[in-house]
Amino acid sequence: MTASFQQQLEFWGPQAVQRPTPSLAEAEAYCRRLARTHYENFPVASCFLPRPLRRHFYNVYAYCRWADDLADEIEDAERSLSLLSWWRERLDECYAGSANHPVFVALQTTISQFEIPRAPFDDLISAFEQDQRVSEYETFEQLRDYCRRSANPVGRLVLYVCRQHSEQNVEWSDSICTGLQLANFWQDVGRDLDLGRVYLPREDRERFSYNDEALHARITNEAFSRLMRFEVDRARGYLLAGLPLAGQLPGRLQVDVDLFVRGGLRILDRIEAIGYRVWEQRPVVTKGDVLVLLVGSLCRATGRRFGRGKMPAGCVKARVSGQKAAHR
């Protein structure tokens, strides 16, 4: 467990000394600090969020951060399950109109203002509980169900806060979130195995004749390369299928969605570029990549705004400059 989360758990967890309920301003400040200090991409993305919505995104992020840490930062699975149960009880209280934990004091206002149902919050806890019980997936459908609860709720919460929740937008958002989750899995095959987790479905491994012995020995061979090519292509398909969502959102929100999709696609491109040798090297999106992606997302949003089908000339120059900077 990281020292910072240990301190948070001691101060606000179930064993903490009873403390006065924080004011709304104090609770929102807590969520803002958590978002700005724990998520490396959030400060960049939040620059393009409408200012009135930022505090609500911070509140939602703080909930997700705590739930995720209760699952991943606790070494004992049974204790993690107990803490996740405690977190669900806090969610129960929140929807019943009572809260004393800063995350839920802040989240109450967001839930009320945007009429957010509790299902997305519950689904996240369910997925994190599954992490404590399930370490390997037999089929892709099982893995996709896990993504439905571990990743898709985040996109749905964003749509609620942006007042863009509709059947079509949810379909696109779910596809993006599943694609991002899969991209992260294929980026972190080695890290997950270190934690005893295997997200490569057994049916896929068997299809490409990549056996358990090779998996646990972390062997890169032709079977593994074909397996990873298949998984990367499938993840890319999910991301591209959801990309139309960017064009349906208002203003700067287009930049956020486009940027996250392109970031996921860049991870997949990096995996492909290293010949799928993720056992030996963890592919990453560099700062130079982020610059290029950001310029591209801004220009695509500008092109949509003015009804042009192609990137404005000024954006082409900026993107070329960004690409040169990325390769220095």
Side-chain angles (χ1 to χ4, degrees):
M1 188 189 306
T2 61
S4 59
F5 182 64
Q6 174 67 42
Q7 293 168 354
Q8 295 297 314
L9 192 58
E10 289 176 357
F11 198 86
W12 290 112
Q15 305 302 319
V17 175
Q18 187 172 0
R19 302 182 187 283
T21 300
S23 67
L24 178 59
E26 291 169 336
E28 290 184 338
Y30 173 89
C31 293
R32 182 171 60 251
R33 286 195 303 273
L34 201 63
R36 288 180 171 177
T37 57
H38 282 70
Y39 186 20
E40 62 271 18
N41 294 324
F42 203 84
V44 175
S46 65
C47 291
F48 299 98
L49 295 172
R51 188 174 294 275
L53 297 184
R54 290 181 191 176
R55 65 189 180 98
H56 297 292
F57 277 97
Y58 294 148
N59 298 345
V60 169
Y61 177 81
Y63 172 89
C64 298
R65 178 74 274 155
W66 258 83
D68 188 51
D69 284 345
L70 291 174
D72 284 349
E73 294 289 334
I74 308 298
E75 294 182 2
D76 179 76
E78 290 304 316
R79 182 166 182 246
S80 180
L81 287 169
S82 176
L83 288 168
L84 287 167
S85 177
W86 165 78
W87 195 242
R88 182 180 281 109
E89 290 171 359
R90 305 289 75 73
L91 181 64
D92 292 339
E93 292 176 350
C94 179
Y95 271 89
S98 174
N100 52 37
H101 189 288
V103 169
F104 291 101
V105 171
L107 195 61
Q108 274 186 323
T109 63
T110 300
I111 289 170
S112 175
Q113 182 170 334
F114 299 97
E115 300 180 327
I116 304 176
R118 63 173 293 158
F121 298 109
D122 264 330
D123 284 345
L124 285 167
I125 295 176
S126 170
F128 295 139
E129 288 173 333
Q130 183 167 312
D131 279 333
Q132 311 311 310
R133 301 187 178 104
V134 179
S135 59
E136 185 175 335
Y137 291 84
E138 295 294 319
T139 68
F140 178 71
E141 284 306 309
Q142 291 175 348
L143 183 63
R144 189 168 69 167
D145 177 70
Y146 172 75
C147 294
R148 179 185 63 80
R149 289 174 290 116
S150 67
N152 297 3
V154 177
R156 295 185 179 210
L157 289 169
V158 169
L159 291 177
Y160 275 114
V161 173
C162 296
R163 300 192 190 279
Q164 297 295 318
H165 192 277
S166 69
E167 185 176 350
Q168 179 61 81
N169 285 353
V170 165
E171 182 179 337
W172 282 325
S173 174
D174 285 354
S175 190
I176 290 171
C177 291
T178 292
L180 285 172
Q181 180 81 86
L182 294 174
N184 287 333
F185 285 155
W186 312 150
Q187 177 189 35
D188 285 329
V189 170
R191 287 188 175 186
D192 288 331
L193 189 59
D194 290 340
L195 298 172
R197 295 175 183 170
V198 178
Y199 292 107
L200 288 164
R202 179 172 294 278
E203 67 176 5
D204 294 346
R205 288 185 277 129
E206 291 178 350
R207 173 181 177 179
F208 292 98
S209 301
Y210 191 68
N211 59 35
D212 288 349
E213 290 75 14
L215 174 77
H216 291 286
R218 306 177 189 233
I219 294 174
T220 300
N221 53 21
E222 181 59 28
F224 183 72
S225 297
R226 288 188 292 114
L227 168 63
M228 289 302 298
R229 183 181 299 114
F230 174 77
E231 302 295 4
V232 164
D233 286 346
R234 179 154 57 186
R236 185 179 285 116
Y238 275 98
L239 289 168
L240 292 174
L243 190 54
L245 177 63
Q248 300 302 309
L249 297 178
R252 292 179 296 179
L253 292 171
Q254 294 185 12
V255 178
D256 273 316
V257 172
D258 189 85
L259 186 59
F260 278 112
V261 173
R262 305 291 175 175
L265 291 171
R266 185 58 58 93
I267 289 173
L268 298 175
D269 290 344
R270 288 283 187 244
I271 295 173
E272 197 171 47
I274 63 173
Y276 308 101
R277 304 185 72 86
V278 290
W279 290 128
E280 295 87 357
Q281 179 181 346
R282 182 178 184 267
V284 296
V285 175
T286 66
K287 291 182 179 179
D289 288 329
V290 172
L291 175 61
V292 172
L293 295 173
L294 178 57
V295 170
S297 295
L298 284 167
C299 291
R300 279 184 289 273
T302 302
R304 295 188 198 101
R305 180 181 178 186
F306 292 101
R308 290 196 285 265
K310 61 182 181 179
M311 189 179 295
C315 287
V316 173
K317 293 179 181 179
R319 190 174 187 185
V320 170
S321 298
Q323 288 172 335
K324 288 180 179 178
H327 289 89
R328 284 172 188 159

